[in-house]
Amino acid sequence: MVTVDRTRGYRVFQGVNAVILTVVVLVTLYPFVNILARSFSDENAIRSGQVNLIPRGFTLKTYEYMISDPMFWTNYRNTVVYTVVATLIAMVMTTCYAYVLSKHHLKGRKILIGIAVFTMFFTGGLIPNYVLVTSLGLKDSIWAVVLPNAVNVFNLLIMKTFFESLPAELEEAAAIDGMNTYGILLRIVLPLSKAVIAAMVLFYAVAFWNSWFTAFLYMSQSELFPVTVYLRNLLAGATTATSIGADATDMTVAANIKSVTMVLTILPIVGLYPFLQRYFVSGVMIGAVKG
C-alpha cells in the first residue's frame, strides 16, 4: 500500500512538473515567435497591433532590402571573421591563464588572481581605453575588437575551478613519464576539459557576435563594421525615415526593422547552440561548484 501511494504521488509530481515546464517553455518561446512573425508582417499590421504569433500582411520587403545591399554581406563576413578570430585568441589566453592559476604551488598565484579579479570591478574608463587603443595603432583594425576583450574574468575563474577539479595524479604520472608542461596541458588536460571548453566557446562567441559598441568606437570605415553596427545604423536610419515621412516601402522597412535585425543577429547563434548544448550545463556547473 505504501508503494502504491508513493507511485501515485510521484505521478502527480511528474504531471505538475510537466505542466509547469510546458508553461515556462511557452512563455519563453512566445517573444521569439512574435518577433519572427513581426519580421514578415507589413507596416500597417504592426502599427495597429494585429501581429501576434502569425504574420499579417506577409511581406519580405525588409529582408529583400537588407540582403540586396552588398555592404550587408561585407559586414556579415566581418562579423564571422571577428567572432572566429576573437574567440580563438580569447580561448587560448583564457585557457593558459586559468591553467596557471589552478596550480596552488605557483609563487605569486594569489597576486595573479587578485589582478584578474580587480579588473572585474575597476576599469580605466572609456577615454583612457580609447587613447590606449589609438596610441597602439589598433584603430580601424580587427585587433581593436579582439584584444581589449580577449580575457573575460568570469570565464577565467570558471575554467580555473574546472582545472582544479581534475585529478592531480594524472599530471604527476604524465610528468614522471617525461611529459613537459605544454604536453600535459595539450594531451592530458584539454581532452578532459571538452565540456568547459565548449561552454566557454559559446560564451565568447555570443559576446563577440553581439558586440557592436567596440567596433562603433574604434572603426571609422563602414567596410570594417560588423553586421551589428550595420543593423544599428539601418535601424537609426529607419527611425529617422519614419519621423520625417517616406514612401510605402520605406515605411514597411522602418516598421519591422527591429524584428528583422533581431532575427538575422540571433540566427547563427541559435544554429550553433544545439551542437554545444550537451556540454553547456556540465561545463559550467563543474567549473563553478567548488570551494
Side-chain angles (χ1 to χ4, degrees):
M1 186 66 181
V2 175
T3 304
V4 174
D5 290 339
R6 288 180 179 178
T7 302
R8 184 178 303 168
Y10 183 68
R11 289 178 178 175
V12 172
F13 168 77
Q14 283 186 313
V16 174
N17 197 28
V19 171
I20 293 175
L21 291 178
T22 301
V23 172
V24 171
V25 169
L26 293 177
V27 171
T28 304
L29 287 178
Y30 174 79
F32 294 98
V33 178
N34 178 256
I35 289 172
L36 189 62
R38 289 169 64 91
S39 69
F40 291 106
S41 302
D42 67 9
E43 177 258 340
N44 293 327
I46 295 174
R47 295 186 181 279
S48 60
Q50 300 178 17
V51 182
N52 194 3
L53 298 177
I54 301 175
R56 302 290 183 180
F58 186 87
T59 180
L60 296 174
K61 289 182 180 179
T62 304
Y63 284 101
E64 293 173 354
Y65 178 85
M66 295 182 66
I67 65 177
S68 63
D69 185 2
M71 186 59 66
F72 170 78
W73 295 108
T74 299
N75 294 157
Y76 216 99
R77 181 196 62 199
N78 292 341
T79 297
V80 174
V81 174
Y82 295 167
T83 301
V84 172
V85 174
T87 301
L88 179 61
I89 292 177
M91 286 302 302
V92 171
M93 297 185 67
T94 302
T95 301
C96 294
Y97 197 178
Y99 183 67
V100 168
L101 296 182
S102 67
K103 303 307 173 186
H104 293 272
H105 61 271
L106 177 70
K107 294 182 180 180
R109 174 176 176 270
K110 292 184 178 180
I111 297 177
L112 294 176
I113 295 177
I115 292 174
V117 174
F118 181 84
T119 62
M120 294 182 66
F121 305 100
F122 303 98
T123 62
L126 181 61
I127 295 177
N129 286 336
Y130 182 84
V131 173
L132 176 62
V133 171
T134 303
S135 62
L136 291 176
L138 303 179
K139 191 176 178 182
D140 287 327
S141 71
I142 183 177
W143 308 117
V145 177
V146 173
L147 296 183
N149 303 302
V151 177
N152 182 287
V153 180
F154 176 78
N155 296 344
L156 172 68
L157 296 179
I158 290 180
M159 290 199 74
K160 177 188 79 71
T161 308
F162 185 92
F163 289 152
E164 290 175 340
S165 68
L166 297 177
E169 292 77 9
L170 291 175
E171 298 186 37
E172 293 174 358
I176 293 174
D177 289 338
M179 192 174 294
N180 58 23
T181 301
Y182 298 103
I184 293 174
L185 175 61
L186 295 176
R187 302 178 62 179
I188 303 297
V189 176
L190 294 185
L192 296 174
S193 306
K194 293 180 180 179
V196 73
I197 290 175
M200 295 303 102
V201 167
L202 184 62
F203 281 167
Y204 276 120
V206 171
F208 285 119
W209 183 274
N210 293 330
S211 176
W212 69 274
F213 184 72
T214 303
F216 181 76
L217 182 64
Y218 296 125
M219 294 184 177
S220 57
Q221 303 177 27
S222 58
E223 294 80 7
L224 299 176
F225 287 159
V227 72
T228 47
V229 176
Y230 172 89
L231 298 178
R232 179 261 175 198
N233 294 338
L234 187 62
L235 178 60
T239 303
T240 303
T242 302
S243 62
I244 64 176
D247 57 30
T249 300
D250 290 338
M251 290 293 289
T252 299
V253 171
N256 65 356
I257 187 64
K258 291 182 180 180
S259 302
V260 173
T261 55
M262 292 179 186
V263 171
L264 293 177
T265 301
I266 68 174
L267 194 59
I269 298 299
V270 172
L272 176 65
Y273 183 80
F275 298 98
L276 302 178
Q277 186 270 341
R278 62 174 178 163
Y279 300 108
F280 183 76
V281 175
S282 61
V284 173
M285 294 303 296
I286 293 175
V289 182
K290 188 178 180 182

